[in-house]
Amino acid sequence: MKKIMLLLVLCISIQGFSQEEELSNLSWLTDLEEAKKESMATKKPILMYFTGSDWCPPCKSLKQDFFNSKTFEEKSKKFVLLMVDMPRRMDIITEEQRKKNKVLVGKYNKKGGYPNIVALNEKLNVIGELSGYTFLRETDRHFTFIDSILENY
């Protein structure tokens, strides 16, 4: 029984570590009110990322090609990052977080597209939106979007 418990704890630890490692260089918030407060304090726009982390192949590709790039890591310092994950697996986020995320999807991702990036000002008004990602792995339009938000903010 002890061996089974040890194995279970080890598996959970490895899974948690691997998810954390992928986003280790970025500071993603998961609460809109917290993002709003930080946006007001720092005068930075909010970059809200709608993802289906465990079921959406374009989301996984965008994460790898765009969000995990050194170029985005540098540009991300000029934003407050907010991740809105809608996974199918129930163990990835809490039920409370899932409810909060559903509210955000209903308000800011009405078409339900994934991945979807929405830029907000400190008053939570939409100032830009970019939906989708192709398997051509071209991130040019995503960097153009990010740059245009920064230029016009």
Side-chain angles (χ1 to χ4, degrees):
M1 185 67 170
K2 287 182 182 180
K3 288 181 182 179
I4 293 173
M5 290 301 290
L6 181 62
L7 183 60
L8 180 62
V9 169
L10 181 63
C11 289
I12 291 171
S13 299
I14 290 171
Q15 179 184 357
F17 178 73
S18 67
Q19 288 176 354
E20 219 174 89
E21 182 180 334
E22 293 174 12
L23 299 175
S24 63
N25 295 328
L26 301 176
S27 296
W28 290 96
L29 300 176
T30 57
D31 182 81
L32 181 60
E33 285 304 313
E34 187 179 341
K36 180 181 178 181
K37 287 176 187 174
E38 187 173 327
S39 176
M40 292 176 80
T42 61
K43 306 293 186 220
K44 295 177 184 178
I46 299 168
L47 194 68
M48 188 179 335
Y49 171 46
F50 291 91
T51 183
S53 64
D54 67 337
W55 59 268
C56 174
C59 298
K60 293 176 183 182
S61 294
L62 183 63
K63 180 178 169 184
Q64 178 183 348
D65 301 340
F66 180 67
F67 289 117
N68 286 349
S69 72
K70 290 291 182 193
T71 305
F72 180 77
E73 185 178 336
E74 273 306 305
K75 291 179 185 283
S76 74
K77 295 173 184 172
K78 298 176 182 173
F79 289 94
V80 175
L81 302 177
L82 178 66
M83 183 180 295
V84 181
D85 192 8
M86 292 302 296
R88 289 188 179 148
R89 281 188 17 218
M90 300 305 284
D91 63 328
I92 294 177
I93 61 174
T94 65
E95 186 58 34
E96 178 184 346
Q97 186 66 51
R98 187 175 301 277
K99 288 176 184 176
K100 287 181 180 182
N101 290 357
K102 282 182 182 180
V103 170
L104 294 177
V105 168
K107 185 169 184 175
Y108 295 105
N109 190 14
K110 292 178 182 172
K111 293 180 182 176
Y114 292 88
N116 194 31
I117 302 171
V118 178
L120 305 172
N121 64 18
E122 70 279 355
K123 295 178 182 176
L124 305 183
N125 296 320
V126 175
I127 55 175
E129 183 174 1
L130 181 64
S131 189
Y133 186 65
T134 66
F135 289 103
L136 299 175
R137 300 192 182 255
E138 295 176 2
T139 57
D140 293 347
R141 72 184 189 107
H142 291 79
F143 283 115
T144 300
F145 172 75
I146 296 295
D147 290 339
S148 72
I149 295 299
L150 291 173
E151 287 171 15
N152 296 307
Y153 189 71

